[in-house]
Amino acid sequence: MIENAEATPAHHAPRVRVVAASSCAAAVPTQPAAVRAAATAATAATAATAATAAEPRSRRGWASVGAVALGAFVVVMTETLPVGLLPQIADGLHVSLGLAGLMVLVPGFSAAVSAPLFFLGSGRFNRRSAILVLGLTVLVSNAVVAVAPTFVLVLIARMLFGATLGAFWTVVSPVGPKLVGPAGGTRAITIIAAGISGGTVVGLPAGQFLGDLVGWRLTFATAAAATLIVVVVQTVLLPGIPPDGRTHLRDLMGVVTRRAARFGMAAGAVVFIGQFTAWTYITPFLMDHTHLSSDVVSLLYVIYGCGGIVGSLVAGSLFKRGVIGSFAGSATVVAALLIGLASAGTIPWLAGLLLALWGLVWGVVNPGTLVWLLDAAPETPEAASAVNVTNLQIALAAGSGLGAILVSSTTLHTVFLTAGFTVLASAVLATVAVRFITLARRE
C-alpha cells in the first residue's frame, strides 16, 4: 500500500490523503490530531452521559417489576386465604363445609371467563391504570368478605375477585419485558412468578394462623390493608405502560391456531390438572396420611412456598437454554415427587423433604407454562396471556374436581398416584412437542 500526500490548496479545503492499493484509489479526508482528539473525547463523554442516564432508568424498571411482583403476591394470597379458614367461615355463616368450599372454586371459573373478555375490552387502557384499579378491586373484595353478613354476599365478593384475577394475570403476565426491555424479559417474568410463590407462603399458613388468632373476618380485613399498601407502592413506582394495541378476537384466535401454542396449552392444562388434583388435598394428606400436626403442616407450607420462590428465580436461567426442555424436565421431577409422596408419604421426614422439593421444582413449571405461550405468539403477548389464564384456570378447576371424585371413591394414596402420572403425561407431551415445534431461544 502506497500513501501520496497532496498539496493543500489556498482556499483552506480539508486536506485529503490518497490511498492507492492495487488498481484502486480513494480520497480520504484528514483532520488535524487535535480535532480528532476532541471528537474522540466528545464521543466518550456522550457515551458516559448516556450510560449514567440509563442506569437510573434501569433501576426504576426493576423496581417496577418488584412492584408488580408485590401485586402478584397479594392476589395469590387472597386466592389461597380461604383454604385455611373454611371451617371457621362455615361455622360463622352457618353453612356446610362443602358449600364454604365454593369460596375457593368460584374465583377460578370467573377468572376463566374474565380473562378473554378483559383482553377484548381493554385495548385503549394504560396498563399502569389497569393494574392500580384491579388492585383496588381486590381490596374491595377482601373488605366486603370481612364484613359480609351472609354467605351469598361473600360469594359475590369472591366472584368479583375471580373476575379481577383473570384480568390481572392477562395484564401482568407479559408486562415484565415492557418494564425492563426484551433482554431482561425472562428474568422479569420469573421475578413476578416469585411473587406468586410468596403469596402461597403467606396465604395458606398465615390465613390459618391469623384465623386462629383474630378470626376469619379480621384476617380478610388484614388482607385488605396489605392490598392498600401494595397499591400505594405501585402508584409510586409504576411508570405509564401503553397497551399492545392488539386486543381483537382475531388475536386470541391467532394464538390458539398456532401449533406451538396448542402444544403449550395442552401440556400446561395437563400439568395443572395433575398439580391441583394433589395440591387441593395436601392438608388432609399430611395430617391424616402422614400424621403430622397442624403446626408442622403450616411450617411445611412455608418451606414449600420458599422453595417455589427459589425455583422461580432459577427458572430464568433454565429458560435461556430452552423453554420446552426445561418444562419437560421439571414436570418429570414433579411427577416423580408426587409418586414418591404416594409411595412413601407415611414417613414424616421423607414426606417433608419431598414436599419441599415439590415446591422448588413447581417454581420452574409454573412460569414455564406462560413463557411457552408468550414465545409461541411473541407479537401478541397479552392475547397469549389471556389464553393462558383461561386455559389454566379451567385446568385448575378440573384438577380440583378430579381430586374430589377420587377422594370420595378411593384413597389419598390413589389421589397422589393419579396426580403424579397425570403430571408425567404432560412431560411426555412436552417431549413429543420438541419434535414438531421450535420456540425462539431467549436472551
Side-chain angles (χ1 to χ4, degrees):
M1 184 176 289
I2 304 170
E3 292 188 2
N4 296 322
E6 293 190 350
T8 305
H11 57 273
H12 302 294
R15 291 184 298 168
V16 299
R17 59 180 179 175
V18 178
V19 180
S22 282
S23 59
C24 300
V28 182
T30 62
Q31 292 179 323
V35 176
R36 290 198 303 271
T40 302
T43 302
T46 302
T49 302
T52 303
E55 189 175 350
R57 288 198 299 270
S58 176
R59 288 199 299 267
R60 176 70 180 269
W62 287 109
S64 300
V65 170
V68 174
L70 282 176
F73 166 86
V74 164
V75 166
V76 174
M77 178 188 70
T78 299
E79 184 178 15
T80 58
L81 200 58
V83 173
L85 299 171
L86 288 181
Q88 291 188 36
I89 294 171
D91 290 341
L93 295 175
H94 309 293
V95 296
S96 68
L97 188 61
L99 195 60
L102 290 176
M103 290 183 65
V104 180
L105 293 179
V106 163
F109 287 112
S110 53
V113 174
S114 70
L117 293 179
F118 181 84
F119 169 79
L120 294 173
S122 64
R124 292 176 294 178
F125 297 136
N126 187 283
R127 279 9 193 175
R128 176 184 184 271
S129 301
I131 290 171
L132 296 178
V133 170
L134 292 171
L136 291 174
T137 309
V138 173
L139 186 157
V140 170
S141 171
N142 284 329
V144 170
V145 172
V147 299
T150 66
F151 185 68
V152 172
L153 189 55
V154 167
L155 273 190
I156 292 173
R158 292 296 289 178
M159 288 179 65
L160 174 65
F161 167 72
T164 304
L165 179 70
F168 180 84
W169 292 128
T170 298
V171 172
V172 162
S173 297
V175 86
K178 296 181 181 180
L179 294 172
V180 297
T186 302
R187 183 183 175 198
I189 291 171
T190 56
I191 289 174
I192 294 170
I196 298 173
S197 298
T200 305
V201 171
V202 173
L204 282 171
Q208 190 172 9
F209 173 77
L210 286 175
D212 293 338
L213 188 66
V214 299
W216 66 271
R217 291 189 182 276
L218 280 179
T219 299
F220 274 96
T222 302
T227 305
L228 178 60
I229 294 172
V230 170
V231 171
V232 171
V233 171
Q234 291 177 333
T235 302
V236 173
L237 293 179
L238 287 180
I241 309 170
D244 286 342
R246 303 184 63 170
T247 57
H248 306 288
L249 182 60
R250 63 176 178 270
D251 298 317
L252 292 175
M253 297 306 298
V255 174
V256 299
T257 54
R258 298 189 182 197
R259 176 186 287 183
R262 290 199 301 270
F263 268 111
M265 291 171 63
V270 174
V271 80
F272 262 64
I273 289 172
Q275 167 75 8
F276 285 94
T277 295
W279 182 250
T280 304
Y281 294 94
I282 185 61
T283 299
F285 181 88
L286 294 175
M287 297 185 72
D288 300 335
H289 188 72
T290 313
H291 302 293
L292 298 177
S293 67
S294 177
D295 291 340
V296 173
V297 170
S298 296
L299 177 61
L300 287 177
Y301 285 157
V302 173
I303 295 172
Y304 175 96
C306 290
I309 294 174
V310 174
S312 297
L313 296 177
V314 170
S317 299
L318 296 176
F319 294 158
K320 291 178 183 179
R321 302 177 183 179
V323 175
I324 300 177
S326 299
F327 176 93
S330 54
T332 301
V333 175
V334 170
L337 293 169
L338 291 175
I339 294 170
L341 276 169
S343 304
T346 55
I347 305 172
W349 70 266
L350 184 55
L353 176 61
L354 293 173
L355 184 70
L357 293 174
W358 180 12
L360 176 68
V361 185
W362 181 252
V364 179
V365 175
N366 190 20
T369 59
L370 171 64
V371 174
W372 187 334
L373 258 67
L374 290 179
D375 285 1
E379 70 281 2
T380 54
E382 289 188 358
S385 180
V387 169
N388 188 58
V389 170
T390 298
N391 182 52
L392 297 186
Q393 289 295 331
I394 293 173
L396 189 156
S400 297
L402 176 60
I405 293 171
L406 292 173
V407 163
S408 301
S409 58
T410 61
T411 63
L412 287 168
H413 172 270
T414 303
V415 170
F416 275 72
L417 203 60
T418 303
F421 281 108
T422 303
V423 172
L424 184 60
S426 75
V428 172
L429 184 58
T431 303
V432 172
V434 174
R435 298 174 59 88
F436 296 97
I437 62 174
T438 302
L439 300 179
R441 186 172 293 274
R442 293 199 149 236
E443 298 296 330

